[in-house]
Amino acid sequence: MARYIFITGGVVSSLGKGLMAASLGALLQARGYKVRIRKFDPYLNVDPGTMSPYQHGEVYVTDDGAETDLDLGHYERFTGVSARQSDNITSGRVYQDIIAKERRGDYLGATVQVIPHVTDAIKNFALADQDDLDFILCEIGGTVGDIESLPFMEAIRQLRNELEPQQTLSVHVTLVPYIAAAGELKTKPTQHSVRELASLGIKPDVLLCRAEHPLPDSERQKIANFCNVRKQAVIPALDAPSIYSVPLQYHQEGLDAEVLRGFGITDAPEPDLAAWNDVTDRYFHPEGEVTIGVVGKYVGLQDAYKSLNEALVHGGMANRVKVNIKWIDAEVFEGNDEEIAAKLEPLHAILVPGGFGERGSEGKIASVRFARERKVPFLGICLGMQMACIEAARSAGHDAASSTEFGHTDEPVVGIITEWMTAEGLEKREAGGDLGGTMRLGAYEARLDGNSHVSALYGGTTSISERHRHRYEVNVAYRDALESQGLIFSGMSPDGLLPEIVERPDHPWFVGVQFHPELKSKPFDPHPLFSGFIEAALHQSRLV
Ligand code: GLN
């Protein structure tokens, strides 16, 4: 039976609980344990799929087609364990299931209540799919004291009673602020937060204290005294120079050792941290640098492109170079050629990422044209590939080429698809149907042309599996027109109907992909498209 680690946060939000969970998972894994990390989100959306990236950062997509919280991206990147639909639950999904059951009459005669119905559903989620896992880490979104998270806290309290002693552990992440005027670190917010958690019936076993300044022994002791834990269980979590140093840093502070002690495990093997040492070595000791321009829409908030940002860094690690990312708002390019040249000329490569809606699309198309004409390495992801196809069609004389996502067009180079094949059979959508959960989502196979540049990048294979999240597709009817313009369709869906990859043999490095390769990149296993893209940027940096 798996052991459970419940991770809650206190004092303020944005303490990096997700990263903390991912790091602890990675440390336990480095000791040879099998782990899985789950996220409980207290908001009422059924999933984050319909939320603006400005609300909650990027939507992370799993192989099995779930649209999930971006923390699942951290978990997967740090542990290499593929996240699943069953690793993310929201209050919205819990209520949706319960209300559907209520309407069906499954509870006939009963009053449906938060306790036990909602809390039971949460507990079932936590206990499901244990496989042969050693540890299941459950991160609870939000901050202790939030009204929304109360049913989750109650479910944890009950689980802690129901499971065996030493089968569960509570880790509480808090903040120890530094008051500059007094020149002191303050422990009171942590004390209050632990008291709040205790009032819900949960006594934390380990406190992870985020702080900007080192926590003196006296303050650790004070927190221990007031919060009813031993001093060694008060783990200082100082700001790290990079997210990739967090696992090593937490290990040095004794987090994994203290967690194992909390479970009464005394014979744990020492962790093998070679992979993390290598990752940090590559990150902190680069032998060159490149500057990549990302021309997108949500450039004001980097969390909106979290996985992309990380995948570019991984590509840098693969080549031992530092990757500087210039986030460029596509809208500033619309109808402004001088601005385009001024902004794009200094860059070593250009990336147009995924996105939704018409705003900024002409700027993205203009960036594609710049990359094509000036022979600057280019990677187009999802909407970015669609823009590359529209740009090619326009340059082949289809002046009205556009996407039906942006309104009616006589030249639908990109159009909505309402039917496609999955491993389970034909999938159908209505053109004007629901927006939530109705895209082509999750892992799909693509067949590659064995002589293509991408096939070589993927190590010579002709079949790959990558994750998708889109409603529109490049229209295969334009294949001949685009190929005669030099844009080759080098990857297709197995039935040959959906273009998955385009590339330009007449260009040093020009690739568009309908899927999101950034979702599968790991620091210790950089995605080949990103390794190749950064390598091309490095080459370009030596030319300019
Ligand atoms: N908006 C486009 C579509 O729905 C692209 C989506 C994306 O880039 N993820 O097809």
Side-chain angles (χ1 to χ4, degrees), residues 353-357 381-384 386 405-406 414 439 469-473 514 516:
F356 292 84
I381 295 178
C382 207
L383 185 70
Q386 297 173 357
E405 181 175 5
F406 310 150
V414 179
M439 286 186 269
R469 180 175 184 250
H470 54 106
R471 192 167 281 113
Y472 299 84
E473 303 276 350
Q514 187 56 74
H516 288 274

Side-chain angles (χ1 to χ4, degrees), residues 49-358:
T50 58
M51 276 192 233
S52 155
Y54 280 122
Q55 285 286 310
H56 216 69
E58 105 181 333
V59 175
Y60 189 77
V61 180
T62 58
D63 273 335
D64 61 359
E67 296 178 280
T68 69
D69 188 82
L70 59 74
D71 277 330
L72 273 81
H74 287 310
Y75 307 162
E76 192 170 323
R77 279 189 288 276
F78 274 44
T79 63
V81 177
S82 291
R84 301 192 288 224
Q85 171 87 63
S86 56
D87 293 328
N88 190 200
I89 197 174
T90 67
S91 294
R93 187 175 296 280
V94 173
Y95 279 96
Q96 188 186 46
D97 291 352
I98 289 176
I99 290 168
K101 279 194 195 160
E102 189 276 333
R103 291 290 81 188
R104 249 192 346 250
D106 290 8
Y107 302 113
L108 220 50
T111 307
V112 184
Q113 294 182 296
V114 172
I115 304 172
H117 298 98
V118 172
T119 45
D120 278 356
I122 296 170
K123 287 194 288 183
N124 289 340
F125 162 75
L127 296 173
D129 293 333
Q130 297 193 19
D131 304 333
D132 49 348
L133 296 170
D134 298 306
F135 291 99
I136 298 181
L137 291 80
C138 300
E139 177 196 347
I140 293 81
T143 307
V144 170
D146 293 347
I147 290 177
E148 285 184 332
S149 62
L150 285 175
F152 291 92
M153 299 299 175
E154 171 60 15
I156 294 176
R157 186 192 68 75
Q158 293 181 15
L159 273 177
R160 302 241 302 154
N161 269 336
E162 291 164 18
L163 297 176
E164 298 299 317
Q166 293 206 317
Q167 197 189 343
T168 69
L169 190 98
S170 157
V171 177
H172 190 52
V173 187
T174 76
L175 177 71
V176 181
Y178 179 76
I179 306 295
E184 278 177 20
L185 285 162
K186 291 295 179 189
T187 66
K188 195 72 85 190
T190 297
Q191 296 177 39
H192 281 301
S193 182
V194 170
R195 197 165 305 156
E196 180 88 35
L197 191 60
S199 76
L200 302 173
I202 303 170
K203 175 199 167 306
D205 302 297
V206 175
L207 295 176
L208 194 65
C209 301
R210 293 292 314 273
E212 282 176 47
H213 291 265
L215 210 56
D217 242 25
S218 56
E219 299 309 290
R220 266 180 101 178
Q221 187 61 57
K222 188 168 163 189
I223 293 173
N225 290 347
F226 279 101
C227 299
N228 200 18
V229 295
R230 68 183 204 132
K231 188 174 128 207
Q232 293 89 327
V234 180
I235 312 279
L238 295 190
D239 293 350
S242 149
I243 60 168
Y244 298 104
S245 22
V246 173
L248 295 174
Q249 189 172 317
Y250 285 1
H251 173 65
Q252 241 150 33
E253 297 291 359
L255 175 65
D256 46 329
E258 192 58 29
V259 163
L260 292 167
R261 184 184 179 274
F263 282 113
I265 299 175
T266 49
D267 58 351
E270 279 304 303
D272 175 2
L273 296 170
W276 287 101
N277 285 327
D278 181 48
V279 161
T280 46
D281 183 54
R282 286 170 179 274
Y283 182 82
F284 288 111
H285 304 106
E287 285 160 10
E289 64 185 280
V290 293
T291 303
I292 311 294
V294 178
V295 184
K297 186 160 87 168
Y298 318 106
V299 292
L301 178 74
Q302 286 190 18
D303 266 3
Y305 298 114
K306 191 79 209 160
S307 296
L308 179 66
N309 185 63
E310 299 310 318
L312 285 166
V313 173
H314 304 162
M317 289 171 177
N319 292 282
R320 263 198 189 272
V321 292
K322 176 166 188 271
V323 177
N324 303 310
I325 304 175
K326 267 217 142 36
W327 302 96
I328 301 167
D329 183 352
E331 263 184 297
V332 304
F333 286 166
E334 309 217 317
N336 191 340
D337 285 348
E338 276 166 35
E339 186 90 38
I340 293 176
K343 281 243 159 65
L344 299 184
E345 264 168 6
L347 303 171
H348 304 135
I350 294 168
L351 192 153
V352 177
F356 292 84
E358 184 170 19

